[in-house]
Amino acid sequence: MSAEPRINDRIRVPEVRLVGPSGEQVGIVPLAKALELAQEYDLDLVEVAATARPPVCKLMDYGKFKYESAMKAREARKNQAHTVIKEMKLRPKIDPHDYDTKKGHVVRFLKQGDKVKITIMFRGREQSRPELGFRLLQRLASDVEELGFIESNPKQDGRNMIMVLGPHKKKTEAMAEAREAQAARKAERQGGVAADEAFDEVEATDAPVEAAETTDAPVAEAPADAPVENPEA
């Protein structure tokens, strides 16, 4: 059977309970009258409750309704939180630098809202010293207690010892915080570019204007022995 509702001429009942375009109750009307109103409003007659007696139909733009429903479903899938279990493997006699690196990964996973399965791998004679793995797991749990908690206590599983850490934050909260941080970084970058452009404009405006060179023309001097004319003569 098709999941699509019946619309317009596909509706095969003598009368329907009609709902108007704005959600107002029109009442029980003959199917022909409902189809006539749909044509007047330039809308579709959509059967929204087929099992009701009589069936409930609504006047709507069915194409727009399908598009909006698809967009809502897509957004819901995008924001859907999937529980993920990450795994981190350690050795009982792990190097301090390697421990810090592994702990950094665990911190990142917990911040993302994921669970973390910690596995201590024993080899050879290490299998006779399970307390080494237990103490290491307790140390790690203590180092990340602000971000996660022990969901499954350490237990021996063959050559391995396993513990599961759960995040304090839900996956949806971690995703929302990640989106907000990304938006903040984007806004900061855009603000920095705008500030640089404004600074460049100010520099261009305040650039010194070179003064035009002026040349002082030499003044010609009369020879010392030149005759002086007498204006009264």
Side-chain angles (χ1 to χ4, degrees):
M1 296 180 62
S2 175
E4 295 285 334
R6 295 187 295 182
I7 64 173
N8 299 328
D9 295 336
R10 296 180 183 177
I11 302 173
R12 303 292 185 181
V13 291
E15 58 184 13
V16 298
R17 184 178 298 277
L18 186 62
V19 180
S22 301
E24 69 276 13
Q25 296 290 333
V26 178
I28 299 175
V29 299
L31 177 62
K33 178 63 176 178
L35 291 172
E36 181 181 343
L37 290 173
Q39 291 181 351
E40 289 180 5
Y41 284 106
D42 193 22
L43 296 172
D44 298 302
L45 182 66
V46 182
E47 190 178 57
V48 295
T51 57
R53 291 293 179 267
V56 180
C57 295
K58 184 177 181 181
L59 298 174
M60 68 173 71
D61 185 339
Y62 186 60
K64 181 180 179 182
F65 170 76
K66 286 186 64 177
Y67 173 78
E68 291 178 348
S69 298
M71 293 301 295
K72 289 179 181 178
R74 180 181 177 184
E75 189 68 21
R77 288 194 300 270
K78 180 180 178 182
N79 295 329
Q80 187 176 4
H82 297 281
T83 301
V84 179
I85 299 180
K86 305 288 187 178
E87 184 174 12
M88 188 61 56
K89 296 181 178 181
L90 295 83
R91 294 293 306 280
K93 298 178 181 180
I94 188 171
D95 180 82
H97 175 73
D98 291 339
Y99 173 81
D100 291 337
T101 301
K102 300 280 188 178
K103 184 182 71 174
H105 292 316
V106 174
V107 167
R108 177 164 55 87
F109 295 148
L110 293 174
K111 284 184 176 180
Q112 293 173 352
D114 296 322
K115 296 181 180 181
V116 188
K117 176 183 176 182
I118 311 297
T119 302
I120 304 296
M121 302 180 298
F122 297 96
R123 293 181 182 176
R125 296 180 179 179
E126 294 175 347
Q127 298 181 53
S128 62
R129 301 288 304 278
E131 68 277 6
L132 296 178
F134 182 81
R135 285 201 296 265
L136 182 58
L137 291 176
Q138 291 294 324
R139 174 189 173 189
L140 180 59
S142 177
D143 289 344
V144 299
E145 62 181 355
E146 293 184 359
L147 300 172
F149 61 95
I150 299 177
E151 185 174 286
S152 177
N153 289 315
K155 63 181 180 180
Q156 194 77 24
D157 183 14
R159 295 184 179 181
N160 301 327
M161 182 174 288
I162 298 172
M163 178 182 71
V164 178
L165 295 175
H168 288 311
K169 292 182 181 178
K170 295 181 179 179
K171 184 70 173 180
T172 52
E173 295 176 359
M175 292 173 62
E177 289 184 0
R179 286 194 295 268
E180 291 177 0
Q182 183 179 3
R185 289 194 298 269
K186 183 178 179 180
E188 184 177 355
R189 287 195 300 269
Q190 292 176 347
V193 172
D196 291 341
E197 291 177 351
F199 182 74
D200 292 341
E201 291 180 1
V202 170
E203 280 193 333
T205 304
D206 296 342
V209 179
E210 295 183 359
E213 294 184 357
T214 57
T215 304
D216 296 333
V219 179
E221 297 181 358
D225 55 351
V228 180
E229 295 182 357
N230 186 0
E232 295 181 356

